[in-house]
């Protein structure tokens, strides 16, 4: 045992796993302290980061934005490797600067100031939920604070928002709701639908299919970095490649899907541990590998499936404090849909039409299904917008969440093209050149992600569901077997820190993001370094 170097196996070559590998390697390479390996089930590195190309434009199939550059470790790396500039155009290179054009079902252009009144209501409500300071002595705020206080901790973001809208209406004079020339739309139904449009965007931010299952209290615990939100010019994958560049060849093994993790629930006599190794990994090809420590970075979706009886990723099964947290936390599906606009001849300015496709916000009829256009498919009705990935790009992008995203994954390209064409035609229905000056677009290529059905992800990112809390995120991060926290405590177990957990879903305040995954990888690498410092010294 004295001569054997501790073997650390990291499961998953995404942001969390590669950050841990980078830290463990760079912190220990001179001392050659560990035998280090990363095993990845897929055939590429990056996990939920997957930079790609579509019709000549650089796009992101997974992580897209640096959510606030102030203090972001991802931003710092991207800056150091000069990834924030590129000759080739990239997704959202110009941010979301363009004024949106908001059009209601049936083809009604909405006045920006009408839209703005509801948009700012929504924004203020979310700011309030997130604990940002807003005008305290306003009637709606007072009412909402009262309602939140009465909710006994199981309030959802969805019902909070509904209460906010109801309070707004109850304080709005009826005359203000009168609209003319909007077909079957009433002022109130338009406001409701604009509000819903913002809820749909919120679904893609959080991955919660239904905002009524998104916990209200957790909203204010979630942290955002200050500063602007930007995309990475050379692609998100360049950050991953930078982490990997210092690792020796062969340290990362691709195509190595772990199907079972055998570990020792209790400290056993040395003889009972296989060959002196506490952990044994089983791979899908039947091969096995021993380890002293494994860092599990698979997604919360993979963990949820892994604790089902018929799957049994862990043997013995995880203790109930772990499975409870895994079950309670939310994990949803968000997908991106890219479409290429046809380069038709009538693309040039015709009849004074502007050929530029707008940043189009879509407002659909809500409750009254009689008013809905029968050919607009249900799976697009909870999508907020469709827009070029940068000004003048021929590539359009829409974000989908929840059931609609799963439906999108199951459709064939033609059904998607038809569905989107019908919808966009309806919205831009005022003839070839509608009142907003946009010609009817045609599409000829489509690309959508399939994060929900991909067995290595089974979804997109985690959220705090009603019934769970930030404590569950912390619980997810606890290593196994459970031991004390001091040096001597962990030494009293002959095989401590067998299974460590990293990944986006294990970070209490930055879950769901790449930097949350980064911090979690660093945390677990440091846990092991600290552990061995206490033995070595
Ligand atoms: C569509 C989409 C958009 C997003 N947008 C943003 C954004 O704008 N900004 C942001 O900060 N974040 C965004 N995210 C979230 C971000 O991508 C993730 O939080 C982060 O990349 C997760 O990293 P991770 O290392 O925790 O997990 P992963 O990247 O999932 O890494 C886990 C790895 O484990 C592997 N694996 C799974 N099962 C096994 C197994 N049994 N055996 C071996 N290997 C296995 C997987 O293949 C994967 O490579 C987005 C995600 C998606 C899907
Ligand atoms: C990652 O991108 C490549 C194309 O660049 C694609 O073939 C692959 O399916 C993508 N993987 C995921 C999980 O999206
Ligand atoms: C379902 C419904 O009420 N449709 C009405 C919408 O408005 C037009 C007139 O603008 C009526 O003709 C439809 O009957």
């Amino acid at each position: 045992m004295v001569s054997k170097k501790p073997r650390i196996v990291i499961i998953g070559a995404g942001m969390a796993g590669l950050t841990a590998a980078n830290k463990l390697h760079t912190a220990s390479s001179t001392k050659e302290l560990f035998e280090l390996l990363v095993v990845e089930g897929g055939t590429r590195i990056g996990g939920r980061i997957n930079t790609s190309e579509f019709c000549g434009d650089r796009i992101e199939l997974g992580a897209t934005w640096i959510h606030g550059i102030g203090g972001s470790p991802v931003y710092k790396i991207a800056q150091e490797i000069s990834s924030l500039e590129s000759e080739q155009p990239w997704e959202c290179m110009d941010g979301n600067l363009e004024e949106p054009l908001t059009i209601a079902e049936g083809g009604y252009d909405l006045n920006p100031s009408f839209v703005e009144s509801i948009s700012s209501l929504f924004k203020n409500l979310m700011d309030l939920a997130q604990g940002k300071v807003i005008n305290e002595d306003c009637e709606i705020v007072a009412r909402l604070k009262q309602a939140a206080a009465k909710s006994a901790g199981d309030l959802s973001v969805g019902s909070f928002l509904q209460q906010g809208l109801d309070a707004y209406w109850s304080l709005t004079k009826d005359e203000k709701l009168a609209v003319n020339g909007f077909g079957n739309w009433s002022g109130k139904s338009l406001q409701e639908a604009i509000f819903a449009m913002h809820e749909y965007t919120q679904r893609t931010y959080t991955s919660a299919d239904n905002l009524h299952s998104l916990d209200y209290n957790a909203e204010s615990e979630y942290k955002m970095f200050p500063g602007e939100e930007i995309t990475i010019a050379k692609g998100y994958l360049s950050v991953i490649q930078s982490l990997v560049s210092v690792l020796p060849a062969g340290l990362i093994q691709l195509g190595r899907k772990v199907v079972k993790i055998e570990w020792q629930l209790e400290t056993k006599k040395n003889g009972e541990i296989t060959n002196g190794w506490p952990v044994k990994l089983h791979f899908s090809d039947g091969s096995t590998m021993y380890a002293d420590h494994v860092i599990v970075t698979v997604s919360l979706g993979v963990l949820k499936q892994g604790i089902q009886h018929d799957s049994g990723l862990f043997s013995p099964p995880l203790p109930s404090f772990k499975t409870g947290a895994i079950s309670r936390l939310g994990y949803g599906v968000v997908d991106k849909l890219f479409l290429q606009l046809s380069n038709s001849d009538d693309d040039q300015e015709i009849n004074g039409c502007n050929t530029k496709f707008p940043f189009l916000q879509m407002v659909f009829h809500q409750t009254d299904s009689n008013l809905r256009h029968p050919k607009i498919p249900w799976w697009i009705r909870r999508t907020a917008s469709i827009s070029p990935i940068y000004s003048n790009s021929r590539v359009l992008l829409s974000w989908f969440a929840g059931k609609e995203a799963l439906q999108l994954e199951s459709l064939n390209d033609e059904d998607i093209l038809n569905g989107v064409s019908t919808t966009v035609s309806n919205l831009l229905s005022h003839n070839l050149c509608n009142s907003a000056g946009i010609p009817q677009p045609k599409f000829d290529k489509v690309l959508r992600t399939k994060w929900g059905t991909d067995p290595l992800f089974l979804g997109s990112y985690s959220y705090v569901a009603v019934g769970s809390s930030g404590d569950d995120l912390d619980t997810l991060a606890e290593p196994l077997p459970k031991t004390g926290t001091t040096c001597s405590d962990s030494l009293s177990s002959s095989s401590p820190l067998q299974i460590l957990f990293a990944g986006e879903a294990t970070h209490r305040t930055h879950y769901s993001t790449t930097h949350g995954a980064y911090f979690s990888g660093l945390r677990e690498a440091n846990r092991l370094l600290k552990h061995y410092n206490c033995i070595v010294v």
Side-chain angles (χ1 to χ4, degrees), residues 115 118-120 122-123 193-203 205 211 361 384:
V115 177
I118 294 298
S119 302
S120 68
F122 188 89
K123 185 178 175 301
I194 295 165
F195 196 83
M197 176 185 81
H198 290 292
E199 291 180 317
Y200 302 155
T201 302
Q202 207 61 37
R203 290 170 76 229
Y205 289 168
L211 297 185
Q361 295 196 133

Side-chain angles (χ1 to χ4, degrees), residues 279-301:
V279 187
K280 183 177 181 183
L281 298 177
H282 299 252
F283 295 92
S284 54
D285 62 1
S287 62
T288 59
M289 180 188 286
Y290 294 102
D292 293 291
H293 310 282
V294 300
I295 305 181
V296 175
T297 76
V298 304
S299 75
L300 180 58

